[in-house]
């Protein structure tokens, strides 16, 4: 991950500076550029507008000092996947999944260094979605309108009841609708105009509740404007939806309490957040034990180049902030979630020649994953799970993810991870789970011999879906350590 501070990007602070590539440690940018916003360093004004650079005595190549004041802007190799920028008194470390992973406070450091850089990106995204885009047709790629699964009649009927302005102003990736929702409390991160919230409002019922939060004030206003319309349409005596203006990295600022939701959903917006780890940490915090984060987002086939990452339109189009898919597994594990379950994958196409040239050989995919907050000790080994049926819309068959499909009344061998998920989540009452199973004695893990390998790579899932013949799920790579 690369800092925009010092690259002349509109998304950062611009000007002089140096940062190192997360792939090879090389200096990505050391030249002067236009200042995008005032430098937050309290040590004095920076000379970036003049383009002057003075090497510091004793510094190795790649480090330089601003000509005015005492602020230093350095690029320092910290190992694979890490970079660091030091503005004299404040330091920002960067790594997979976060433009500003953490601000390392030095004595007298400016507390707002990292926050200001993140806010710059937030503002660019808000302007793109709140001012430039007026309808889905204004998008330059299909990243925000991709759907990977057929829509059930139940969902189609629910969509028809949603106000046309709400539908027109929504820019999510298809639909993000998990199963078994009756009476659930659901939080929608990046709820936009509220389409998914109003859809889920019907599926959870009047006893359930749906909260939407979005950083674009104009979108929140559209959502709030139509609450009364939808409650009347649904026949509800009181609203079961609410909307907040705020950031998904800071849910506490909106008053969202610990362990207060059964499900957190997100529809193609986490890629717009500068700090993906903070988003997952907050989702984990507000979920009840056994709760689920069910979300679609855009993923890249590799870590993105500086050129892509600082391109304003590609940010708005959900591509410049796309996470390298393997990094999702690292971040989820660090936060405390169970290993991600890949549900669906759809290709993303770019219909703009200029953007295609910038992207180069990097590929993008829209993928849906589910993460669970599994309590410790929920299940200790593999077993057999039998689906009892009864989930509305999935009475006879539940396609849980790309690796597990459960038919009513049929026992299915599951690994320890899936057994723990089913046992501790809202699905517990829908399954009979027994210890043991055909692969009970086999070692666990996606690459263990004798165990059916899970497919976790969304690009490999795409290849399988495109292949002729019946769908199958052989092999796959599923983890930051590079499983087979």
């Amino acid at each position: 991950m690369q800092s925009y501070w010092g690259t002349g990007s509109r998304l950062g602070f611009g000007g002089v500076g140096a940062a190192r590539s997360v792939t090879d440690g090389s200096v990505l940018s050391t030249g002067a550029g236009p200042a995008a916003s005032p430098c937050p360093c309290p040590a004095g004004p920076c000379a970036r507008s003049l383009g002057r650079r003075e090497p510091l005595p004793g510094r190795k190549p790649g480090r330089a000092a601003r000509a005015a004041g005492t602020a230093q802007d350095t690029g320092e190799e910290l190992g694979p996947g890490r970079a660091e920028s030091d503005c004299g008194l404040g330091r920002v470390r960067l790594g997979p999944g976060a433009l500003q992973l953490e601000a390392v406070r030095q004595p007298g450091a400016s507390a707002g260094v990292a926050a200001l850089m993140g806010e710059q990106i937030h503002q660019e995204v808000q302007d793109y979605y709140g001012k430039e885009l007026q309808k889905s047709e204004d998008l330059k790629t299909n990243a925000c309108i991709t759907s990977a699964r057929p829509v059930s009649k139940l969902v189609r009927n629910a969509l028809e009841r949603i106000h046309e302005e709400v539908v027109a102003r929504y820019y999510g990736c298809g639909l993000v609708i998990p199963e078994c929702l009756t009476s659930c409390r659901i939080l929608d991160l990046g709820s936009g105009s509220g389409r998914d919230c109003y859809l889920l409002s019907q599926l959870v019922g009047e006893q359930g509740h749906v909260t939407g939060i979005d950083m674009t004030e104009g979108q929140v206003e559209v959502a709030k404007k139509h609450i009364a319309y939808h409650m009347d349409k649904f026949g509800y005596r009181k609203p079961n939806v609410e909307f907040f203006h705020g950031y998904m990295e800071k849910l506490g600022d909106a008053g969202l309490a610990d362990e207060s939701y059964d499900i957190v959903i997100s529809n193609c917006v986490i890629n717009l957040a500068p700090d993906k780890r903070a988003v997952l940490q907050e989702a984990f915090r507000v979920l009840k034990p056994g709760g689920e984060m069910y979300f679609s987002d855009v993923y890249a086939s590799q870590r993105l180049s500086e050129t892509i990452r600082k391109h304003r339109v590609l940010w708005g189009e959900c591509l410049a902030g796309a996470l390298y898919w393997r990094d999702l597994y690292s971040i989820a594990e660090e936060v405390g979630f169970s290993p991600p379950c890949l549900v669906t994958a759809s290709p993303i196409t770019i219909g703009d020649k200029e953007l295609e040239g910038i992207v180069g050989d990097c590929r993008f995919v829209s993928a849906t994953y589910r993460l669970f907050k599994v309590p410790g000790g929920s299940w200790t080994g593999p077993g057999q799970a039998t689906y009892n049926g009864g989930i509305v819309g999935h009475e006879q068959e539940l396609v849980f993810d790309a690796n597990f499909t459960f038919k009513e009344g049929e026992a299915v061998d599951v690994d320890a991870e899936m057994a723990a998920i089913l046992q501790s989540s809202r699905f517990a009452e829908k399954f009979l789970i027994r210890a043991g199973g055909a692969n009970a004695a086999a070692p666990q893990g996606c690459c263990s011999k004798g165990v059916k390998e899970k497919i976790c790579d969304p690009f490999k899932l795409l290849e399988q879906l495109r292949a002729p013949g019946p769908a199958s799920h052989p092999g796959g790579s599923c983890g930051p350590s590079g499983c087979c």
Side-chain angles (χ1 to χ4, degrees):
M1 192 75 60
Q2 132 84 29
S3 170
Y4 293 119
W5 178 12
T7 64
S9 167
R10 291 186 60 188
L11 297 174
F13 290 111
V16 302
R20 290 189 176 273
S21 166
V22 298
T23 55
D24 60 10
S26 60
V27 175
L28 293 172
S29 176
T30 55
S37 63
C39 174
C41 178
C46 297
R48 59 178 171 274
S49 59
L50 301 178
R52 297 184 312 206
R53 301 181 58 81
E54 297 179 2
L56 290 178
R59 296 282 192 180
K60 63 181 180 181
R63 296 193 174 202
R66 292 190 175 95
T70 62
Q72 303 167 5
D73 194 2
T74 69
E76 195 172 318
E77 185 174 356
L78 300 178
R82 303 284 172 178
E84 181 174 294
S85 184
D86 188 346
C87 186
L89 300 179
R91 179 179 297 171
V92 180
R93 292 181 183 274
L94 303 105
L99 289 179
Q100 288 79 45
L101 174 57
E102 58 179 323
V104 182
R105 296 292 303 280
Q106 298 176 349
S110 169
V113 171
L116 284 173
M117 295 197 297
E119 288 173 7
Q120 194 76 9
I121 296 172
H122 282 148
Q123 187 59 54
E124 291 285 352
V125 173
Q126 290 177 54
D127 289 346
Y128 194 75
Y129 280 86
K131 298 176 182 179
E132 295 193 23
L133 296 183
Q134 297 301 315
K135 55 186 183 302
S136 297
E137 288 77 8
D138 294 335
L139 293 162
K140 295 177 175 59
T141 74
N142 72 338
C144 295
I145 54 176
T146 300
S147 180
R149 305 178 90 177
V151 179
S152 68
K153 183 178 180 181
L154 178 69
V155 173
R156 284 199 304 270
N157 291 340
L159 281 170
E160 290 175 358
R161 301 187 187 101
I162 299 177
H163 195 282
E164 60 183 9
E165 183 183 12
V166 171
V167 175
R169 292 291 300 275
Y170 197 79
Y171 312 114
C173 303
L175 290 169
V176 181
I177 309 297
E179 315 84 3
C180 201
L181 301 178
T182 303
S183 299
C184 283
R185 286 182 54 83
I186 301 178
L187 171 63
D188 184 2
L189 302 179
S191 53
S193 64
R195 188 203 66 177
D196 286 1
C197 289
Y198 287 121
L199 174 58
L200 291 165
S201 167
Q202 300 172 72
L203 300 180
V204 301
E206 195 168 3
Q207 301 306 311
H209 186 84
V210 183
T211 300
I213 186 167
D214 199 276
M215 68 177 178
T216 306
E217 193 168 3
Q219 291 282 75
V220 175
E221 290 174 357
V222 171
K224 286 183 174 180
K225 182 170 66 173
H226 298 294
I227 290 179
Y229 169 88
H230 288 100
M231 296 305 103
D232 180 67
K233 194 82 168 177
F234 305 159
Y236 292 169
R237 290 169 294 177
K238 61 180 182 179
N240 72 341
V241 296
E242 61 182 341
F243 297 96
F244 293 103
H245 175 234
Y247 297 102
M248 53 189 165
E249 303 99 314
K250 301 177 181 179
L251 299 178
D253 291 353
L256 305 188
D258 295 357
E259 300 184 358
S260 54
Y261 291 94
D262 301 293
I263 305 168
V264 173
I265 71 163
S266 177
N267 194 338
C268 198
V269 295
I270 295 179
N271 63 84
L272 298 174
D275 191 343
K276 275 73 167 172
R277 182 176 278 96
V279 175
L280 266 63
Q281 284 176 332
E282 279 292 86
F284 188 87
R285 179 182 67 80
V286 302
L287 278 173
K288 300 175 184 178
E292 176 186 11
M293 183 175 184
Y294 187 96
F295 63 108
S296 69
D297 208 25
V298 178
Y299 296 91
S301 60
Q302 61 195 49
R303 292 197 177 98
L304 303 181
S305 68
E306 174 198 11
T307 302
I308 295 175
R309 287 198 176 281
K310 70 179 184 180
H311 197 283
R312 180 175 176 273
V313 173
L314 288 176
W315 264 104
E317 293 286 330
C318 302
L319 300 182
L323 193 65
Y324 174 40
W325 72 269
R326 286 181 181 272
D327 288 339
L328 172 65
Y329 287 81
S330 301
I331 297 172
E333 180 181 5
E334 292 170 10
V335 168
F337 279 113
S338 61
C341 300
L342 174 62
V343 181
T344 62
S346 296
I348 288 177
T349 57
I350 302 174
D352 186 283
K353 292 296 184 182
E354 180 183 353
L355 297 183
E356 285 180 349
I358 295 170
V359 167
D361 61 356
C362 183
R363 294 176 296 148
F364 296 91
V365 64
S366 171
T368 300
Y369 283 94
R370 52 199 329 165
L371 311 177
F372 286 84
K373 186 177 182 177
V374 177
S378 298
W379 195 265
T380 57
Q384 283 192 330
T386 303
Y387 176 44
N388 300 323
I391 296 178
V392 177
H394 307 271
E395 290 82 358
Q396 297 180 340
E397 180 181 84
L398 174 63
V399 181
F400 194 85
D401 61 14
N403 296 288
F404 291 100
T405 295
F406 301 98
K407 295 182 183 295
E408 182 185 14
E410 293 186 8
V412 177
D413 289 337
V414 294
D415 58 17
E417 293 168 358
M418 181 56 62
I421 288 171
L422 296 177
Q423 185 72 20
S424 64
S425 69
R426 68 187 185 280
F427 295 99
E429 296 181 357
K430 304 298 182 181
F431 281 85
L432 174 63
I433 304 175
R434 294 189 176 93
N439 58 13
Q444 295 300 299
C446 63
C447 298
S448 303
K449 294 182 179 179
V451 180
K452 182 179 178 181
E453 294 174 1
K454 290 183 179 179
I455 180 167
C456 306
D457 179 347
F459 294 94
K460 288 198 173 184
L461 178 58
L462 271 183
E463 292 174 5
Q464 287 189 0
L465 296 175
R466 289 168 171 169
S472 59
H473 303 292
S477 300
C478 71
S481 58
C483 293
C484 54

